[in-house]
Amino acid sequence: EKALLTRCSVFTGGFDLESACAVSGSDDEFATLDLLDALVRKSLLVAGRSSGRARYSMLETVRQFAEERLAEGGDADAVRTAHARYFAAREADVLALWNSPRQSEAYAWFTTELANLRTAFRWAADEDDLDTAAPIATYATLLGVMIENFEPVAWAEELIPQARAADHSRST
């Protein structure tokens, strides 16, 4: 429970079971769900529903405390990288959803996950991880522009010089 709580402190806008599994490194959704349930019963997490799915969050003071414990444990960089890579890996799924009759679900997902996308992008960009930052900036920009949220455009613009210098595949 303690390990999951500290690892989930990297989420800035709440999280679901799938994303909790991604940062915890677990493939066992049932075991992770049991741990999340125990944390909810101990009032360390708050459970709610968003778009018909369970979504978890922490009070900010609990999140900050757990984040401090994560940093003390020495796993912070690895967990933040896992968080960023999880959101980068969502590109194909989100764009497929956007390019379907369920397009409004892609926009709802973007709005719900914007704080996490911001955090994931910032970590990846600061770590010079173009392979992670570029997909986040790309699909966040596309979705953001469509609903008149232009914040991700600045993310994409920030990456252009670095991507061109590295001759990255997304620089064109």
Side-chain angles (χ1 to χ4, degrees), residues 15-31:
F15 56 95
D16 59 15
L17 176 60
E18 182 182 345
S19 56
C21 287
V23 299
S24 70
S26 173
D27 292 334
D28 188 347
E29 287 188 349
F30 292 114

Side-chain angles (χ1 to χ4, degrees), residues 71-94:
E72 289 171 3
D75 290 340
D77 289 356
V79 175
R80 287 186 181 104
T81 298
H83 174 264
R85 288 183 179 162
Y86 168 76
F87 283 100
R90 295 297 316 265
E91 180 184 31
D93 296 335
V94 172

